[in-house]
C-alpha cells in the first residue's frame, strides 16, 4: 500500500477559483491543446499535449497543464501567476524543488452532464486508457477518469433521491455525480487512500461532502438502505489480488456475483442499483442463466453484455494494464501461464463485460432481461434505463387482450428502412431503427411495419389491426391472435411507447 501523504482540502475552494479563472476546464483544455492532442491525453499519450503546451507559452493555463496533467515542473513564479502557490504548497498539492514546483497529484478537468466544471483528483501518472498500462503497480494506487467510469456515469438514472451509495468509490467520480441529485451520499472503499482522493475530488469540484467509510462491499454500511447504489467494482477475474483498484480478491467472478446478490437487501422500494462487471463463460453453462441466478429476490433486472473476450485476449489486456509486458519476457510468460491455469481450472472459455441494473420492485413475477448488445449506443442512457423498466411494468400489467385495447405511439427517433433488390416491387424486409438510446434495429413484416407506422396514439391496437386486416384481406380474428407477441416485442425494445391515458 502506498504511504504517500495526500493534500489537505483546507484551501480547495480558493484553489478551485484559481483553476477556473485560468481556464483549466475541459473546454479550456480543448481550446489550448486542440482536439487531436486533447483526445491523445485521454489515452495517456502526452507528447501531442506537450507540443501544444509549448506553443501556448508560459501563461497560467499552460503552467497548470504542465503541473497537473503532464507531471512536469514549472518555475515558482509561473505557478504563482496561475494559483495561490503558497496555499497549494502548504496544503500539499505542490512540492518545491529549488526555484521550481511540481504537483503531488493528478488533477483532471471533467465536464459534468449539465456543463459543470469538475476536477477529478488521483495518483500521478495513473490516468486510465494508455496502451502502456497505468504506470504504477503500487497496491493502493488510485486511478482517475477512464472509459469504465464515464460509462457507468452515463447509464446511471439521474432522478432526485434521498440517499445514494457508491461502492468502491476510487477517486470519487460516481459520488460526485450522485451528489448532484441525492440529498445524502455515502462512498465506500477498501482502500483508505481512495476515500481521501474522493474527499479531494468533491472539495475541488465544489460538491457537498459525502459520508466516507472504509471496508469491502456492503460491510461498512451495515443494514442501511439506499435509493440508488452504484459501483464500478474491482471486477477483473485474475489469479490473485495484485492491484486493489482492479482485482477483487475473490475467485472467478464471485465479487461481482456477491455485489449483485447482496444489493437487493440494501435497496429501498423502487430504488436502483447499477454496476459494471465481468462474468465467466463456463463450459457447459449458459451465461444468460448464470447471470439470471445472480438477481436477488424482489428485484427486476436488465443485464447487457457489451463485450466478450476469449481468455487469451482477456489475460493480455490486464497484463498490459499492469505493465507486465515491459518486464523480463520470462516473467511475463510465467504470469500469462498463471492466468491461463486459473481459467482452465474454472473451465472458463471467455469473459463477458457489461452493465447490470437492478430495480427493487417486489413484483410477484420479476422482469429479468439478459441480452447481448455489442453495438453503438447513444450516451447518456439514464433516461433509457428508466424507460426500459417503465415498459416492463406496462407489459407485466397487460395481457394480450389488454394490449390490443392499448394505444401506442411510434417513438420519435425511429425510422423505417426498406431492404430489397433495386427495382423490386416489394422490399425483402422492413427494418425499424432507433437513432437514440440503445440504437436498436429490428426486422418486421409488412403488417408490423404498417402497424407501427400508424401508431399515433389515436386508435387502439385492435382497431388498427382490424383496418390492416381489411386492407390485406386477412381474417381480423386471426390477425388479432398472432400479433400481440410482435407488439410486445416492439414495446419491450422501445419502438412503441404506451399511451397511458389516451383521449376518449
Amino acid at each position: 500500500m502506498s504511504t504517500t501523504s495526500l493534500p489537505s482540502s483546507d484551501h480547495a475552494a480558493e484553489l478551485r477559483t484559481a483553476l477556473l479563472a485560468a481556464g483549466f476546464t475541459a473546454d479550456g483544455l480543448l481550446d489550448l491543446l486542440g482536439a487531436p492532442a486533447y483526445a491523445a491525453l485521454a489515452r495517456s499519450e502526452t507528447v501531442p499535449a506537450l507540443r501544444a503546451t509549448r506553443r501556448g507559452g508560459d501563461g497560467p493555463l499552460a503552467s497548470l497543464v504542465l503541473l497537473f496533467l503532464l507531471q512536469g515542473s514549472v518555475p515558482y513564479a509561473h505557478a504563482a501567476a496561475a494559483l495561490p502557490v503558497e496555499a497549494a504548497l502548504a496544503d500539499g498539492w505542490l512540492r518545491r524543488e529549488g526555484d521550481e514546483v511540481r504537483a503531488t497529484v493528478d488533477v483532471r478537468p471533467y465536464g459534468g452532464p449539465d456543463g459543470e466544471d469538475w476536477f477529478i483528483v488521483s495518483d500521478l501518472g495513473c490516468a486510465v486508457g494508455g496502451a502502456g498500462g497505468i504506470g504504477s503497480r503500487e497496491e493502493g494506487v488510485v486511478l482517475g477518469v477512464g472509459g469504465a467510469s464515464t460509462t457507468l456515469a452515463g447509464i446511471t438514472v439521474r432522478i432526485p433521491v434521498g440517499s445514494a451509495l457508491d461502492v468502491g468509490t476510487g477517486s470519487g467520480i460516481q459520488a460526485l455525480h450522485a451528489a448532484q441529485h441525492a440529498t445524502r451520499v455515502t462512498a465506500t472503499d477498501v482502500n483508505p487512500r481512495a476515500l481521501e482522493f474522493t474527499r479531494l475530488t468533491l472539495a475541488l469540484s465544489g460538491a457537498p461532502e459525502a459520508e466516507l467509510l472504509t471496508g469491502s462491499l456492503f460491510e461498512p454500511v451495515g443494514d442501511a438502505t439506499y435509493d440508488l447504489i452504484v459501483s464500478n467494482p474491482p471486477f477483473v477475474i485474475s489469479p490473485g489480488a495484485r492491484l486493489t483498484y482492479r482485482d477483487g480478491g475473490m475467485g472467478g467472478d464471485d465479487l461481482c456475483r456477491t455485489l449483485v446478490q447482496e444489493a437487493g437487501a440494501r435497496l429501498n422500494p423502487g430504488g436502483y442499483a447499477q454496476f459494471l462487471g465481468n462474468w465467466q463463460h463456463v463450459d457447459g453453462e449458459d451465461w444468460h442463466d448464470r447471470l439470471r441466478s445472480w438477481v436477488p429476490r424482489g428485484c427486476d433486472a436488465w443485464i447487457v453484455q457489451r463485450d466478450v473476450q476469449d481468455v487469451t485476449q482477456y489475460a493480455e489486456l490486464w497484463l498490459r494494464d499492469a505493465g507486465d509486458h515491459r518486464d523480463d519476457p520470462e516473467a511475463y510468460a510465467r504470469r500469462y501461464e498463471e492466468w491461463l491455469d486459473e481459467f482452465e481450472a474454472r473451465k472458463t472459455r471467455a469473459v463477458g463485460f457489461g452493465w447490470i441494473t437492478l430495480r427493487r420492485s417486489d413484483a410477484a413475477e420479476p422482469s429479468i432481461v439478459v441480452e447481448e448488445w455489442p453495438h453503438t449506443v447513444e450516451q447518456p442512457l439514464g433516461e433509457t434505463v428508466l424507460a426500459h423498466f417503465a415498459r416492463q411494468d406496462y407489459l407485466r400489467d397487460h395481457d394480450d387482450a389488454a394490449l390490443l385495447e392499448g394505444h401506442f405511439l411510434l417513438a420519435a427517433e425511429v425510422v423505417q428502412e426498406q431492404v430489397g433488390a433495386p427495382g423490386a416491387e416489394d422490399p425483402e424486409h422492413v427494418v425499424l431503427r432507433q437513432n437514440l438510446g440503445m440504437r436498436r434495429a429490428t426486422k418486421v413484416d409488412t403488417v408490423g411495419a404498417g402497424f407501427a407506422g400508424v401508431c399515433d396514439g389515436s386508435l387502439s391496437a385492435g382497431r388498427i389491426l382490424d383496418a390492416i386486416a381489411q386492407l390485406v384481406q386477412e381474417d381480423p380474428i386471426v390477425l388479432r391472435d398472432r400479433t400481440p407477441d410482435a407488439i410486445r416485442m416492439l414495446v419491450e425494445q422501445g419502438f412503441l411507447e404506451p399511451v397511458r391515458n389516451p383521449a376518449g
Side-chain angles (χ1 to χ4, degrees):
M1 180 74 71
S2 172
T3 57
T4 305
S5 60
L6 297 181
S8 161
S9 59
D10 289 349
H11 296 90
E14 188 180 349
L15 182 57
R16 172 178 170 78
T17 298
L19 297 178
L20 295 176
F24 190 62
T25 63
D27 289 341
L29 291 185
L30 184 60
D31 290 341
L32 175 69
L33 304 179
Y38 187 55
L41 191 61
R43 301 190 301 269
S44 297
E45 297 291 350
T46 59
V47 171
L50 280 167
R51 290 169 60 89
T53 303
R54 285 197 297 268
R55 289 196 300 270
D58 54 6
L61 180 55
S63 296
L64 293 172
V65 171
L66 282 169
L67 280 170
F68 291 117
L69 297 185
L70 304 179
Q71 287 84 59
S73 62
V74 303
Y76 177 93
H78 292 175
L83 46 77
V85 67
E86 286 301 322
L89 286 166
D91 285 357
W93 296 91
L94 304 176
R95 69 175 188 273
R96 189 159 186 172
E97 297 179 348
D99 293 331
E100 298 193 326
V101 297
R102 286 183 178 272
T104 61
V105 291
D106 185 296
V107 176
R108 195 153 299 238
Y110 179 71
D114 295 318
E116 301 94 341
D117 289 314
W118 293 339
F119 301 96
I120 309 301
V121 188
S122 64
D123 273 313
L124 285 172
C126 293
V128 182
I134 63 166
S136 173
R137 294 184 209 160
E138 290 189 69
E139 180 186 348
V141 69
V142 176
L143 304 190
V145 182
S149 304
T150 55
T151 293
L152 179 58
I155 67 171
T156 300
V157 297
R158 301 297 175 193
I159 54 178
V161 295
S163 57
L165 171 65
D166 177 12
V167 179
T169 188
S171 54
I173 301 162
Q174 309 308 325
L176 176 58
H177 277 277
Q180 311 310 304
H181 63 104
T183 302
R184 175 173 58 88
V185 176
T186 300
T188 72
D189 205 291
V190 70
N191 180 2
R193 292 185 76 249
L195 298 176
E196 290 306 308
F197 273 114
T198 295
R199 189 189 310 279
L200 296 174
T201 290
L202 294 173
L204 199 58
S205 298
E209 293 183 359
E211 179 185 33
L212 305 176
L213 302 174
T214 305
S216 179
L217 299 180
F218 296 106
E219 178 272 329
V221 301
D223 296 328
T225 57
Y226 300 86
D227 301 312
L228 174 67
I229 299 172
V230 292
S231 182
N232 176 16
F235 53 66
V236 177
I237 300 171
S238 59
R242 292 175 62 201
L243 298 171
T244 302
Y245 75 88
R246 71 169 204 193
D247 301 320
M250 297 186 184
D253 52 19
D254 282 356
L255 183 135
C256 287
R257 175 185 57 80
T258 301
L259 180 64
V260 173
Q261 289 180 335
E262 293 185 356
R266 271 76 178 188
L267 280 177
N268 292 325
Y272 287 85
Q274 299 186 264
F275 314 111
L276 302 184
N278 275 175
W279 41 81
Q280 298 169 135
H281 287 225
V282 179
D283 285 336
E285 182 178 350
D286 187 313
W287 70 269
H288 300 80
D289 293 338
R290 182 181 190 86
L291 291 175
R292 285 190 187 95
S293 73
W294 291 7
V295 178
R297 187 185 304 274
C299 288
D300 298 325
W302 185 20
I303 302 173
V304 182
Q305 179 169 279
R306 295 287 291 151
D307 190 21
V308 61
Q309 293 182 311
D310 68 48
V311 293
T312 59
Q313 293 173 309
Y314 188 80
E316 291 161 13
L317 169 67
W318 294 108
L319 287 168
R320 287 181 173 274
D321 171 80
D324 290 329
H325 60 302
R326 297 192 297 263
D327 282 349
D328 172 21
E330 292 185 3
Y332 175 80
R334 283 196 303 272
R335 293 191 179 98
Y336 202 150
E337 290 273 8
E338 290 172 1
W339 284 70
L340 297 184
D341 287 344
E342 177 79 4
F343 288 130
E344 185 175 338
R346 295 183 177 276
K347 298 182 179 180
T348 302
R349 68 179 186 277
V351 177
F353 167 82
W355 320 324
I356 299 174
T357 298
L358 306 177
R359 183 188 60 163
R360 176 76 181 274
S361 68
D362 295 313
E365 297 182 9
S367 164
I368 301 176
V369 176
V370 182
E371 63 175 322
E372 185 166 20
W373 190 252
H375 310 294
T376 300
V377 299
E378 189 79 16
Q379 286 274 32
L381 285 170
E383 291 294 329
T384 300
V385 172
L386 289 171
H388 168 88
F389 286 99
R391 293 194 301 269
Q392 295 303 314
D393 287 342
Y394 178 89
L395 293 173
R396 184 161 45 202
D397 295 339
H398 289 72
D399 60 16
D400 286 356
L403 212 59
L404 292 174
E405 291 298 317
H407 294 234
F408 302 94
L409 280 171
L410 184 66
E413 75 278 6
V414 174
V415 297
Q416 177 179 302
E417 300 173 359
Q418 295 186 351
V419 181
E425 183 175 346
D426 296 313
E428 293 177 13
H429 58 264
V430 177
V431 174
L432 298 180
R433 187 179 302 277
Q434 300 169 350
N435 286 323
L436 297 175
M438 294 295 285
R439 301 179 68 93
R440 297 185 189 275
T442 189
K443 291 182 183 179
V444 292
D445 60 17
T446 53
V447 171
F451 177 85
V454 297
C455 279
D456 62 2
S458 62
L459 296 175
S460 70
R463 290 185 63 186
I464 293 173
L465 290 176
D466 290 344
I468 292 175
Q470 187 174 2
L471 285 172
V472 300
Q473 298 183 334
E474 184 171 340
D475 186 334
I477 296 177
V478 172
L479 190 59
R480 279 174 171 256
D481 285 344
R482 69 178 176 86
T483 305
D485 284 347
I487 297 174
R488 197 170 292 276
M489 181 275 293
L490 291 173
V491 172
E492 181 174 16
Q493 295 193 0
F495 292 95
L496 294 179
E497 299 173 352
V499 178
R500 301 292 176 165
N501 296 297

